[in-house]
Amino acid sequence: MDHTAPSAPSAPSAPDSLSAIDPLAAHLTDYALSYLHSAALRTAARLGVADHLADGPRGADELAALTGASEGHLRRILRLLATRDVFHEDDKGAFHLTPLAERLRSDTPSSLREAVLLATDESFVRPATRLEDAVRTGRSVFDEIYGAPFFEYLSREPGAGEAFDRGMANVSAGEDDAVAAAYSFPAKGTVVDVGGGRGGLLGRTLARNPGLTGVLYDRDAVLRGHSLDVPELTGRWEVRPGDFFTSVPAGADVYLLKRILHDWSDEECVRILRACRAGMSADSRLLAVDCVIPQDNTPHPGKVLDVLMMTALNGRERGEEDFRRLFTEAGLRLVRVVPTGSAVSIVEAAPVAPVA
Ligand SMILES: C[S@@+](CC[C@H](N)C(=O)[O-])C[C@H]1O[C@@H](n2cnc3c(N)ncnc32)[C@H](O)[C@@H]1O
């Protein structure tokens, strides 16, 4: 039975005095306070409110009892979220799932709960409160706050590392099949997923291309949570721990680097790409799968991630010319950019023949 409220009606808002008098002030104030929407969303996700509405609407009193929350406070954050169509409150005071709230459930194939928890995680939010410092110095403040660079911190704090891996796998689940479908992989051969996380993209690539075998290459702790052990892929994959700044498994036909280069500075990217180049044969291809952002002010989901990359890491989202430049420095040439229908594109590179 579908308990989702019919597209949650954005109730005709009672004219609020500020937007009537000064719409720009209303817009700017709402924009400035948007972190509270984000905090409310995180809280609802953490409390599992959407799971408790899966069987039908419930009042705030019942939800508070089920989640161990304060009824008054819970009602107030759900009321705020309802203004953005996450949950809907009916005239009897019962809260319903909406299509957006449905995605906060933890137990459905289209769940985005882990992705929401990652996006709102303290390890992203705290550095963002120091954005001004990052902008003044051109450096992330992550190390200053947490005493280590981002991925070292994740290695040191297993709980944070696992939350990141779960969140990343959840973010990627929405794009992995689109990426695997958008590229014509060779009929036979080996694919190495460099920094492949829990293996979502490698799994979809192998499932769509039965003649391929795959290597999932990442940090040891990440590989322990991989998702490749499914009957469909039996005998066609292996996991290999390692450091992509040092080397990658050699001799593969395709090297995937999805949402890798955006984590790193240009100099670090060139080191990663050179390590890949060293393992490639003349016919190998490298596929950098990342946002390719327009350089003008056209909206693109990568532009907000670009700010995350400057606060939590020293990375950036890049445009086509940026990728071309990085590839050239690493002995590669940009072949083409393939859109995938998701936020990321495939930037294909081939080795430049060494000068004889
Ligand atoms: C942003 S995540 C992307 C994961 C995956 N490719 C995806 O799109 O979901 C970056 C990945 O790089 C891995 N990584 C970071 N530093 C690494 C290193 N030095 N060597 C190998 N993998 C590394 C992380 O463990 C993480 O899985």
Side-chain angles (χ1 to χ4, degrees):
M1 193 170 161
D2 181 6
H3 291 288
T4 306
S7 160
S10 303
S13 48
D16 92 59
S17 51
L18 186 55
S19 46
I21 297 168
D22 187 346
L24 290 179
H27 181 78
L28 209 52
T29 308
D30 192 48
Y31 199 174
L33 291 171
S34 51
Y35 63 93
L36 292 170
H37 286 273
S38 167
L41 190 63
R42 177 178 182 79
T43 304
R46 288 271 307 164
L47 293 175
V49 173
D51 286 336
H52 289 300
L53 296 178
D55 294 330
R58 294 182 194 270
D61 50 349
E62 220 183 326
L63 287 170
L66 287 164
T67 59
S70 146
E71 178 189 338
H73 280 55
L74 183 60
R75 182 192 300 281
R76 287 155 64 192
I77 68 155
L78 296 181
R79 186 176 64 188
L80 173 67
L81 290 169
T83 67
R84 300 244 174 128
D85 294 343
V86 184
F87 304 111
H88 163 66
E89 186 177 7
D90 66 24
D91 52 12
K92 295 189 186 66
F95 287 93
H96 298 242
L97 289 177
T98 60
L100 284 174
E102 181 71 38
R103 307 295 291 271
L104 291 182
R105 285 178 60 185
S106 60
D107 54 352
T108 60
S110 64
S111 169
L112 284 173
R113 180 171 179 267
E114 292 296 340
V116 166
L117 292 177
L118 175 62
T120 55
D121 190 76
E122 186 206 276
S123 61
F124 286 169
V125 174
R126 267 181 83 188
T129 64
R130 302 269 309 274
L131 176 60
E132 179 185 341
D133 293 333
V135 170
R136 285 185 188 280
T137 62
R139 298 286 307 165
S140 156
V141 293
F142 192 92
D143 308 26
E144 227 179 89
I145 299 173
Y146 290 99
F150 188 75
F151 287 107
E152 273 181 50
Y153 166 76
L154 295 188
S155 299
R156 203 181 66 194
E157 300 288 336
E162 277 163 34
F164 177 83
D165 298 341
R166 277 198 308 273
M168 230 15 257
N170 194 196
V171 169
S172 295
E175 58 199 18
D176 287 337
D177 199 56
V179 173
Y183 187 76
S184 296
F185 285 87
K188 285 192 200 152
T190 305
V191 177
V192 177
D193 196 350
V194 179
R198 292 191 163 183
L201 176 58
L202 185 61
R204 292 316 305 151
T205 302
L206 297 182
R208 283 184 168 272
N209 298 277
L212 293 179
T213 55
V215 180
L216 183 63
Y217 186 69
D218 206 301
R219 298 176 302 123
D220 200 19
V222 180
L223 295 175
R224 278 183 238 131
H226 78 79
S227 59
L228 294 171
D229 201 1
V230 292
E232 185 185 17
L233 305 179
T234 302
R236 294 173 53 213
W237 55 268
E238 61 179 287
V239 297
R240 196 99 60 90
D243 174 6
F244 54 42
F245 284 107
T246 309
S247 65
V248 303
D253 300 276
V254 180
Y255 289 85
L256 293 168
L257 288 90
K258 183 160 97 50
R259 293 193 185 270
I260 298 301
L261 299 180
H262 78 160
D263 290 336
W264 304 99
S265 68
D266 284 1
E267 295 71 23
E268 289 162 326
C269 286
V270 171
R271 283 173 56 205
I272 297 168
L273 291 169
R274 283 191 179 142
C276 293
R277 172 70 183 87
M280 292 170 78
S281 68
D283 296 329
S284 305
R285 290 291 178 269
L286 181 147
L287 309 181
V289 184
D290 251 320
C291 294
V292 178
I293 56 171
Q295 296 307 302
D296 61 14
N297 294 327
T298 314
H300 187 289
K303 288 186 176 173
V304 70
L305 290 179
D306 189 38
V307 178
L308 178 60
M309 294 307 139
M310 73 171 80
T311 50
L313 293 125
N314 282 304
R316 62 183 309 158
E317 301 296 341
R318 296 181 171 86
E320 181 171 341
E321 286 314 309
D322 299 318
F323 283 102
R324 193 185 307 282
R325 195 170 30 77
L326 294 180
F327 289 156
T328 303
E329 282 189 52
L332 298 159
R333 71 184 164 81
L334 191 152
V335 177
R336 62 193 167 129
V337 177
V338 184
T340 69
S342 73
V344 291
S345 299
I346 299 170
V347 192
E348 181 182 18
V352 175
V355 181

